[in-house]
Amino acid sequence: MEKNGTKNHQTLQLTILATSDIHGHVLPIRYVDNKETDNGLLRLATIIEQERKQKDNVLVIDNGDLLQGTPFAFYHACLDQSAHPIIGLMNHLRLDAFIPGNHEFNYGLNFVNRAKSESEYPWLSANIVKEGTDEPYFGCPYRIFLMPGGVRVGLLGLTTPYIPNWEQPSHIAGLSFESAVSAAKRWVPLMKEREGVDILIVSYHGGFERDVQSGEETEELTGENEGWQLCQEVEGIDVLITGHQHQRIGGASIGNTLVVQPGYQGSCLAQIDLLLQKGDDGAWVVKDCDSRLREASEAAVNPDLAERVRSCEDNTQRWLDQPLCEVRGEMRVVDPMAARMQEHPLIELVNRIQMEAAGVDISCTSLFDNLAPGFGPHVSMREVTANYPYPNTLKVLLLSGRDIAEALEWTAAYFALANDGSIIVDPSYLSPKPQHFNYDMWAGIEYAISVSRPVGSRIEGLKYQDKPLDPLGQYEVAMNHYRASGGGNYRMFRGKPVVREVTVDMTEIIAEYLTKTGIVHARTNGNWTVRS
């Protein structure tokens, strides 16, 4: 069309709303005490519904790690076989696509397949394939949206391929995980050429191996995060939605690609507004774009949506309130840093439970985050899940003394010295996301961490049964399956013989132990220490 001698190009407004790493946070509450929070899927749902009412062309995408992370999610994954309430909510919100994250596999493939069958939206992941083939496990790895004016918008799903380094083999049996970059290089040209895609969105449950502003490397290149490489090496990506690292990136550009990452636990969603324009050649391009993070705190919960999950929530609350035991002595976590520098009764108890369940006398575990409350005088399932939020099982590895020493040196890198000589958490464990779960505390051996010494030579006085640990000796060690697979870059554990597995979930193991014991005494034996 021409007007006054100039061409009047056709335009279209497209809005993309993206969530990621919800981790089971549906209602805006903390399950440890049921206090209200400013986050949660139900708050974001209000924003999503408002945008759908106000605009014609809206796509809603969830970028993974949706179905694990809270007691609500655990209860409905493991203890309730009825329709999953989170999937029901996403069906109601007319989710356009879901990209499975690594934590979707925590409950095994039976759960994954059941969840997918209940979903009224496609699961997209181009790089999770059937073993021995290049066939995507979830079917077609992309979706094409036909918009007004004939605009063809393509969405490709990708997932971090690092899952085998964390997950139990039985949970991913029959699957292979290809590099996200390799898969994108294969599928993006196909989408452009065969499908005639005008605008290409990639939703990738993974993060960035470089700082998005400076381009400086931020982590060891393992393949866990390939966001920067995707932007640099795969031509034609207009928008890259990321996650996994729990960063808040409202909008940045890497080359010609707009990148976003919408935090975690339903704290915000990414909103991308694209102005598309049809060119003289009939092709549509991004003429202008704007992106921002929409805070969950700006929205109230729609009572009708809350009512949809009310019975599910009530069932979860009843389960959480089951009384288990009494505690004599102090087992609350008042100062997380102090609990990691001097043995805490909670950590001593978890290690003791692991050793009894696995039939060994050496164990390691973590204080997973800084929200763990410890145990008060009366313990219920609520406190157990608050302190142990992951669906871990146990493995017993056969390790050499040298393996154990290397693991302790790696865990000791968690600490650093501040300018004033005080001990702090090394910044690499805090950014791009907190990794307190990668600092282990051991039982059954004696050791000291000297933080003033160089990384790699900080462990002193390493003993087993009052004798120096034999580097060539063989020892059976209990740990959660994430760590046993080498999760947290504990490479010294990878490929080591598995003596036995305890396939019961750790929350169940802890609950059974506490119920059987009845009265638990808070105590430590001082087998390790941290000093400057």
Side-chain angles (χ1 to χ4, degrees), residues 75-99:
Y75 180 84
H76 293 287
C78 299
L79 303 175
D80 182 359
Q81 293 301 306
S82 61
H84 202 294
I86 300 178
I87 294 171
L89 277 177
M90 289 305 198
N91 288 339
H92 176 79
L93 292 172
R94 293 179 288 140
L95 189 70
D96 289 293
F98 174 66
I99 285 70

mmCIF file of all heavy atoms in Angstrom, residues 75-99:
data_model
loop_
_atom_site.group_PDB
_atom_site.id
_atom_site.type_symbol
_atom_site.label_atom_id
_atom_site.label_comp_id
_atom_site.label_asym_id
_atom_site.label_seq_id
_atom_site.Cartn_x
_atom_site.Cartn_y
_atom_site.Cartn_z
ATOM 1 N N TYR A 75 4.068 -33.187 47.431
ATOM 2 C CA TYR A 75 2.902 -33.980 47.821
ATOM 3 C C TYR A 75 2.152 -34.465 46.590
ATOM 4 O O TYR A 75 1.750 -35.635 46.512
ATOM 5 C CB TYR A 75 1.989 -33.155 48.723
ATOM 6 C CG TYR A 75 0.759 -33.899 49.186
ATOM 7 C CD1 TYR A 75 0.821 -34.744 50.294
ATOM 8 C CD2 TYR A 75 -0.448 -33.772 48.513
ATOM 9 C CE1 TYR A 75 -0.297 -35.450 50.713
ATOM 10 C CE2 TYR A 75 -1.571 -34.479 48.929
ATOM 11 C CZ TYR A 75 -1.487 -35.308 50.028
ATOM 12 O OH TYR A 75 -2.598 -36.011 50.431
ATOM 13 N N HIS A 76 1.981 -33.578 45.607
ATOM 14 C CA HIS A 76 1.177 -33.942 44.447
ATOM 15 C C HIS A 76 1.981 -34.680 43.377
ATOM 16 O O HIS A 76 1.401 -35.197 42.426
ATOM 17 C CB HIS A 76 0.482 -32.700 43.891
ATOM 18 C CG HIS A 76 -0.549 -32.155 44.830
ATOM 19 N ND1 HIS A 76 -1.750 -32.771 45.037
ATOM 20 C CD2 HIS A 76 -0.525 -31.094 45.659
ATOM 21 C CE1 HIS A 76 -2.440 -32.096 45.949
ATOM 22 N NE2 HIS A 76 -1.725 -31.084 46.343
ATOM 23 N N ALA A 77 3.282 -34.751 43.557
ATOM 24 C CA ALA A 77 4.093 -35.586 42.664
ATOM 25 C C ALA A 77 4.235 -37.004 43.213
ATOM 26 O O ALA A 77 4.239 -37.966 42.447
ATOM 27 C CB ALA A 77 5.468 -34.972 42.462
ATOM 28 N N CYS A 78 4.340 -37.124 44.537
ATOM 29 C CA CYS A 78 4.710 -38.410 45.130
ATOM 30 C C CYS A 78 3.608 -39.090 45.931
ATOM 31 O O CYS A 78 3.607 -40.312 46.049
ATOM 32 C CB CYS A 78 5.925 -38.207 46.037
ATOM 33 S SG CYS A 78 7.392 -37.588 45.194
ATOM 34 N N LEU A 79 2.689 -38.318 46.486
ATOM 35 C CA LEU A 79 1.730 -38.897 47.423
ATOM 36 C C LEU A 79 0.290 -38.801 46.965
ATOM 37 O O LEU A 79 -0.603 -39.327 47.634
ATOM 38 C CB LEU A 79 1.873 -38.200 48.789
ATOM 39 C CG LEU A 79 3.280 -38.255 49.407
ATOM 40 C CD1 LEU A 79 3.324 -37.442 50.685
ATOM 41 C CD2 LEU A 79 3.697 -39.693 49.672
ATOM 42 N N ASP A 80 0.043 -38.147 45.864
ATOM 43 C CA ASP A 80 -1.327 -37.961 45.385
ATOM 44 C C ASP A 80 -1.345 -38.254 43.883
ATOM 45 O O ASP A 80 -0.658 -37.575 43.113
ATOM 46 C CB ASP A 80 -1.779 -36.522 45.652
ATOM 47 C CG ASP A 80 -3.215 -36.274 45.220
ATOM 48 O OD1 ASP A 80 -3.862 -37.207 44.698
ATOM 49 O OD2 ASP A 80 -3.704 -35.141 45.394
ATOM 50 N N GLN A 81 -2.095 -39.235 43.482
ATOM 51 C CA GLN A 81 -2.112 -39.640 42.085
ATOM 52 C C GLN A 81 -3.229 -38.972 41.281
ATOM 53 O O GLN A 81 -3.444 -39.305 40.117
ATOM 54 C CB GLN A 81 -2.275 -41.163 41.991
ATOM 55 C CG GLN A 81 -1.084 -41.927 42.531
ATOM 56 C CD GLN A 81 0.213 -41.582 41.810
ATOM 57 O OE1 GLN A 81 0.297 -41.667 40.590
ATOM 58 N NE2 GLN A 81 1.217 -41.169 42.572
ATOM 59 N N SER A 82 -3.932 -38.015 41.871
ATOM 60 C CA SER A 82 -4.968 -37.296 41.126
ATOM 61 C C SER A 82 -4.307 -36.291 40.182
ATOM 62 O O SER A 82 -3.091 -36.113 40.185
ATOM 63 C CB SER A 82 -5.915 -36.573 42.084
ATOM 64 O OG SER A 82 -5.219 -35.623 42.870
ATOM 65 N N ALA A 83 -5.111 -35.626 39.366
ATOM 66 C CA ALA A 83 -4.584 -34.661 38.389
ATOM 67 C C ALA A 83 -3.746 -33.600 39.101
ATOM 68 O O ALA A 83 -4.132 -33.085 40.159
ATOM 69 C CB ALA A 83 -5.734 -34.014 37.627
ATOM 70 N N HIS A 84 -2.607 -33.278 38.509
ATOM 71 C CA HIS A 84 -1.670 -32.361 39.158
ATOM 72 C C HIS A 84 -2.233 -30.940 39.134
ATOM 73 O O HIS A 84 -2.546 -30.397 38.070
ATOM 74 C CB HIS A 84 -0.317 -32.401 38.451
ATOM 75 C CG HIS A 84 0.802 -31.920 39.313
ATOM 76 N ND1 HIS A 84 0.907 -30.619 39.738
ATOM 77 C CD2 HIS A 84 1.862 -32.577 39.860
ATOM 78 C CE1 HIS A 84 1.985 -30.485 40.491
ATOM 79 N NE2 HIS A 84 2.582 -31.665 40.584
ATOM 80 N N PRO A 85 -2.345 -30.287 40.297
ATOM 81 C CA PRO A 85 -2.965 -28.958 40.342
ATOM 82 C C PRO A 85 -2.187 -27.873 39.602
ATOM 83 O O PRO A 85 -2.787 -26.931 39.080
ATOM 84 C CB PRO A 85 -3.054 -28.649 41.837
ATOM 85 C CG PRO A 85 -2.016 -29.533 42.472
ATOM 86 C CD PRO A 85 -1.983 -30.774 41.637
ATOM 87 N N ILE A 86 -0.873 -27.986 39.554
ATOM 88 C CA ILE A 86 -0.090 -26.951 38.851
ATOM 89 C C ILE A 86 -0.331 -27.053 37.353
ATOM 90 O O ILE A 86 -0.482 -26.031 36.665
ATOM 91 C CB ILE A 86 1.409 -27.074 39.184
ATOM 92 C CG1 ILE A 86 1.638 -26.911 40.694
ATOM 93 C CG2 ILE A 86 2.212 -26.025 38.417
ATOM 94 C CD1 ILE A 86 3.085 -27.057 41.122
ATOM 95 N N ILE A 87 -0.378 -28.255 36.842
ATOM 96 C CA ILE A 87 -0.682 -28.430 35.419
ATOM 97 C C ILE A 87 -2.094 -27.941 35.131
ATOM 98 O O ILE A 87 -2.346 -27.297 34.105
ATOM 99 C CB ILE A 87 -0.513 -29.903 35.015
ATOM 100 C CG1 ILE A 87 0.960 -30.298 35.132
ATOM 101 C CG2 ILE A 87 -1.011 -30.143 33.583
ATOM 102 C CD1 ILE A 87 1.219 -31.761 34.959
ATOM 103 N N GLY A 88 -3.023 -28.208 36.053
ATOM 104 C CA GLY A 88 -4.383 -27.705 35.884
ATOM 105 C C GLY A 88 -4.428 -26.195 35.795
ATOM 106 O O GLY A 88 -5.188 -25.627 34.987
ATOM 107 N N LEU A 89 -3.621 -25.519 36.609
ATOM 108 C CA LEU A 89 -3.560 -24.058 36.536
ATOM 109 C C LEU A 89 -3.020 -23.587 35.200
ATOM 110 O O LEU A 89 -3.547 -22.636 34.598
ATOM 111 C CB LEU A 89 -2.679 -23.513 37.668
ATOM 112 C CG LEU A 89 -3.301 -23.335 39.045
ATOM 113 C CD1 LEU A 89 -2.252 -22.862 40.043
ATOM 114 C CD2 LEU A 89 -4.458 -22.343 38.998
ATOM 115 N N MET A 90 -1.963 -24.234 34.732
ATOM 116 C CA MET A 90 -1.392 -23.840 33.446
ATOM 117 C C MET A 90 -2.370 -24.105 32.302
ATOM 118 O O MET A 90 -2.431 -23.334 31.336
ATOM 119 C CB MET A 90 -0.068 -24.570 33.210
ATOM 120 C CG MET A 90 1.067 -24.082 34.100
ATOM 121 S SD MET A 90 1.334 -22.282 33.954
ATOM 122 C CE MET A 90 2.983 -22.125 34.630
ATOM 123 N N ASN A 91 -3.138 -25.183 32.398
ATOM 124 C CA ASN A 91 -4.182 -25.417 31.396
ATOM 125 C C ASN A 91 -5.195 -24.277 31.416
ATOM 126 O O ASN A 91 -5.623 -23.786 30.366
ATOM 127 C CB ASN A 91 -4.888 -26.748 31.667
ATOM 128 C CG ASN A 91 -4.023 -27.959 31.345
ATOM 129 O OD1 ASN A 91 -3.064 -27.871 30.582
ATOM 130 N ND2 ASN A 91 -4.364 -29.094 31.919
ATOM 131 N N HIS A 92 -5.582 -23.865 32.601
ATOM 132 C CA HIS A 92 -6.555 -22.777 32.727
ATOM 133 C C HIS A 92 -6.016 -21.473 32.149
ATOM 134 O O HIS A 92 -6.769 -20.693 31.549
ATOM 135 C CB HIS A 92 -6.921 -22.579 34.199
ATOM 136 C CG HIS A 92 -7.848 -21.431 34.449
ATOM 137 N ND1 HIS A 92 -9.210 -21.506 34.217
ATOM 138 C CD2 HIS A 92 -7.611 -20.159 34.877
ATOM 139 C CE1 HIS A 92 -9.774 -20.347 34.511
ATOM 140 N NE2 HIS A 92 -8.817 -19.516 34.914
ATOM 141 N N LEU A 93 -4.720 -21.240 32.338
ATOM 142 C CA LEU A 93 -4.097 -20.005 31.823
ATOM 143 C C LEU A 93 -3.804 -20.075 30.336
ATOM 144 O O LEU A 93 -3.277 -19.144 29.757
ATOM 145 C CB LEU A 93 -2.797 -19.724 32.587
ATOM 146 C CG LEU A 93 -2.950 -19.337 34.063
ATOM 147 C CD1 LEU A 93 -1.589 -19.277 34.740
ATOM 148 C CD2 LEU A 93 -3.676 -18.007 34.205
ATOM 149 N N ARG A 94 -4.138 -21.201 29.717
ATOM 150 C CA ARG A 94 -3.916 -21.414 28.287
ATOM 151 C C ARG A 94 -2.437 -21.242 27.924
ATOM 152 O O ARG A 94 -2.087 -20.538 26.969
ATOM 153 C CB ARG A 94 -4.796 -20.469 27.451
ATOM 154 C CG ARG A 94 -6.285 -20.758 27.572
ATOM 155 C CD ARG A 94 -7.109 -19.786 26.741
ATOM 156 N NE ARG A 94 -7.112 -18.451 27.344
ATOM 157 C CZ ARG A 94 -7.016 -17.328 26.644
ATOM 158 N NH1 ARG A 94 -6.878 -17.357 25.330
ATOM 159 N NH2 ARG A 94 -7.051 -16.155 27.252
ATOM 160 N N LEU A 95 -1.602 -21.901 28.711
ATOM 161 C CA LEU A 95 -0.169 -21.885 28.420
ATOM 162 C C LEU A 95 0.061 -22.332 26.983
ATOM 163 O O LEU A 95 -0.516 -23.317 26.527
ATOM 164 C CB LEU A 95 0.561 -22.818 29.393
ATOM 165 C CG LEU A 95 2.089 -22.767 29.373
ATOM 166 C CD1 LEU A 95 2.594 -21.450 29.954
ATOM 167 C CD2 LEU A 95 2.667 -23.933 30.171
ATOM 168 N N ASP A 96 0.912 -21.597 26.274
ATOM 169 C CA ASP A 96 1.153 -21.920 24.868
ATOM 170 C C ASP A 96 2.232 -22.976 24.677
ATOM 171 O O ASP A 96 2.227 -23.683 23.661
ATOM 172 C CB ASP A 96 1.521 -20.649 24.099
ATOM 173 C CG ASP A 96 0.329 -19.718 23.942
ATOM 174 O OD1 ASP A 96 -0.609 -20.089 23.221
ATOM 175 O OD2 ASP A 96 0.322 -18.637 24.564
ATOM 176 N N ALA A 97 3.152 -23.071 25.624
ATOM 177 C CA ALA A 97 4.199 -24.092 25.515
ATOM 178 C C ALA A 97 4.941 -24.196 26.833
ATOM 179 O O ALA A 97 5.042 -23.229 27.601
ATOM 180 C CB ALA A 97 5.176 -23.766 24.389
ATOM 181 N N PHE A 98 5.474 -25.387 27.077
ATOM 182 C CA PHE A 98 6.254 -25.663 28.274
ATOM 183 C C PHE A 98 7.568 -26.294 27.870
ATOM 184 O O PHE A 98 7.605 -27.219 27.057
ATOM 185 C CB PHE A 98 5.482 -26.622 29.190
ATOM 186 C CG PHE A 98 6.259 -27.083 30.393
ATOM 187 C CD1 PHE A 98 6.613 -26.185 31.382
ATOM 188 C CD2 PHE A 98 6.630 -28.413 30.528
ATOM 189 C CE1 PHE A 98 7.324 -26.608 32.496
ATOM 190 C CE2 PHE A 98 7.339 -28.840 31.633
ATOM 191 C CZ PHE A 98 7.685 -27.940 32.619
ATOM 192 N N ILE A 99 8.660 -25.779 28.441
ATOM 193 C CA ILE A 99 9.985 -26.341 28.192
ATOM 194 C C ILE A 99 10.425 -27.049 29.470
ATOM 195 O O ILE A 99 10.618 -26.390 30.507
ATOM 196 C CB ILE A 99 11.005 -25.244 27.793
ATOM 197 C CG1 ILE A 99 10.757 -24.781 26.357
ATOM 198 C CG2 ILE A 99 12.428 -25.776 27.865
ATOM 199 C CD1 ILE A 99 9.519 -23.990 26.126
#
